[in-house]
């Protein structure tokens, strides 16, 4: 599955050339009717189902998605972003799924330019995609930059769709303004959701709650990933400022 403005390329080299020159010219080769028909025909598979989850741990609603996630999930950092760490990282992911974990969160910036984290997760998703609700992120603030991010994420994760695509590390007013500006990242998120390349949309932040509050007031996101810890109430508190409103709206929160 490819975004309509990123049509299938005959080779990886050709796809890279295409991304450098942009998708507008290629998309113009398709008629509006053909594009509409292609998008309409796409369907997402059923939500992932790790059959071990319910017996292994309690579950909670994931924001507005309706999906039940285990209270333990797997993040894509630490051992899962160290360079050339397949021998350690891949068994960790396999073991997590074996134990009932059904939510895996990674990002296009975990593991540097090589995106090691997505590589490791993708190695496992190649054979176990239907066991994990798969989330990744874009740190890019523009539409075109974010489209390039999701194109590479799909390739590295060995999948034709992700269950949750998130705006990464939204912490300042200028982040929000750039994301929602004309040509901003929000355009890419909505396009990919409309084209059924991503299932749900989310926003994440660890710095200050005000930017996240602004973001969720501008768009009806399915999830929020926010920072929470024992010291939170003492400065820039997500607990006091963001969590109450997100709880009322059934958005997600994460420690």
């Amino acid at each position: 599955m490819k975004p309509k403005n990123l049509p299938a390329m005959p080779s990886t080299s050709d796809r890279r050339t295409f991304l450098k020159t942009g998708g507008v010219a290629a998309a113009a080769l398709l008629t509006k009717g053909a594009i509409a028909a292609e998008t309409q025909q796409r369907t997402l598979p059923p939500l992932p189902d790790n059959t071990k989850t319910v017996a292994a741990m309690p579950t909670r609603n994931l924001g507005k998605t309706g999906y039940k996630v285990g209270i333990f999930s797997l993040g894509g950092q630490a051992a899962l972003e160290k360079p050339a760490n397949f021998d350690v990282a891949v068994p960790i992911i396999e073991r997590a799924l074996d134990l009932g974990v059904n939510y895996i969160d990674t990002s296009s910036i975990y593991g540097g330019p090589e995106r090691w984290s997505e590589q490791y997760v993708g190695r496992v998703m190649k054979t176990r995609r239907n066991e994990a609700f798969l989330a990744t992120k874009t740190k890019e603030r523009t539409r075109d930059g974010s489209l390039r991010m999701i194109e590479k994420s799909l390739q590295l994760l060995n999948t034709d769709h992700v269950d949750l695509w998130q705006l990464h590390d939204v912490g300042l007013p200028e982040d929000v303004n750039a994301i929602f500006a004309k040509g901003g990242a929000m355009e890419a998120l909505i396009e990919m959701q409309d084209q059924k390349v991503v299932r749900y949309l989310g926003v994440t932040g660890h710095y200050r709650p005000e930017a996240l509050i602004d973001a969720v007031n501008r768009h009806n996101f399915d999830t929020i990933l926010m920072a929470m810890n024992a010291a939170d109430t003492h400065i820039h508190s997500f607990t006091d400022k963001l969590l109450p409103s997100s709880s009322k709206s059934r958005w997600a929160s994460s420690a």
Side-chain angles (χ1 to χ4, degrees), residues 11 19 34 84 88 98 106 126 136 140 173 201 226 233 246:
S11 71
L19 289 171
V88 174
D98 292 343
T106 184
K126 196 170 187 177
T136 192
E140 297 290 323
L201 304 180
M226 67 183 78
T233 58
S246 65

Side-chain angles (χ1 to χ4, degrees), residues 98-126:
D98 292 343
L99 291 172
V101 167
N102 67 346
Y103 180 98
I104 295 177
D105 180 274
T106 184
S107 174
S108 58
I109 67 168
Y110 291 169
E114 294 84 2
R115 298 164 71 159
W116 289 105
S117 182
E118 288 186 327
Q119 289 194 53
Y120 304 143
V121 174
R123 178 71 63 87
V124 178
M125 292 298 98
K126 196 170 187 177

Side-chain angles (χ1 to χ4, degrees), residues 34-254:
I35 292 171
E38 180 187 6
T39 301
Q40 188 175 12
Q41 290 171 3
R42 290 196 184 105
T43 58
L44 286 166
L47 281 163
D49 181 21
N50 186 333
T51 58
K52 303 178 182 69
T53 304
V54 175
M57 68 186 85
T59 61
R60 299 289 187 268
N61 287 322
L62 179 62
K64 297 178 179 178
T65 67
Y67 189 71
K68 297 286 189 179
V69 293
I71 60 172
F72 293 102
S73 60
L74 182 64
Q77 293 190 275
L80 270 63
E81 65 177 349
K82 290 183 179 180
N85 203 31
F86 282 96
D87 289 346
V88 174
V90 170
I92 289 174
I93 300 166
E94 297 271 14
R95 182 60 172 158
L97 294 176
D98 292 343
L99 291 172
V101 167
N102 67 346
Y103 180 98
I104 295 177
D105 180 274
T106 184
S107 174
S108 58
I109 67 168
Y110 291 169
E114 294 84 2
R115 298 164 71 159
W116 289 105
S117 182
E118 288 186 327
Q119 289 194 53
Y120 304 143
V121 174
R123 178 71 63 87
V124 178
M125 292 298 98
K126 196 170 187 177
T127 57
R128 303 184 69 171
R129 176 67 182 89
N130 65 336
E131 295 179 57
F133 188 101
L134 184 57
T136 192
K137 311 180 187 80
T138 175
K139 185 68 181 286
E140 297 290 323
R141 299 314 189 209
T142 66
R143 171 189 178 273
D144 292 346
S146 292
L147 289 176
R148 288 191 290 270
M149 289 299 102
I150 192 64
E151 170 78 3
K152 188 66 174 179
S153 290
L154 294 172
Q155 176 190 341
L156 295 178
L157 292 170
N158 281 306
T159 186
D160 61 0
H161 72 285
V162 295
D163 297 302
L164 176 63
W165 196 25
Q166 303 161 101
L167 295 162
H168 195 162
D169 191 18
V170 177
L172 296 171
E174 47 264 43
D175 292 327
V176 183
N177 291 335
I179 287 164
F180 285 94
K182 183 175 176 59
M186 200 65 223
E187 292 182 6
L189 268 69
I190 292 172
E191 286 178 35
M192 295 301 94
Q193 188 178 48
D194 288 344
Q195 293 177 38
K196 300 180 178 64
V197 176
V198 301
R199 198 187 300 267
Y200 300 112
L201 304 180
V203 60
T204 81
H206 342 79
Y207 179 49
R208 295 188 180 182
E210 291 81 7
L212 290 180
I213 292 170
D214 188 7
V216 301
N217 284 333
R218 299 196 197 195
H219 182 82
N220 188 24
F221 288 99
D222 299 297
T223 69
I224 305 172
L225 188 154
M226 67 183 78
M228 295 177 65
N229 58 59
D232 176 76
T233 58
H234 299 290
I235 184 169
H236 306 306
S237 176
F238 290 84
T239 304
D240 294 339
K241 295 182 178 180
L242 180 57
L243 186 58
S245 60
S246 65
S247 298
K248 291 176 184 177
S249 300
R250 299 182 64 232
W251 286 314
S253 63
S254 175

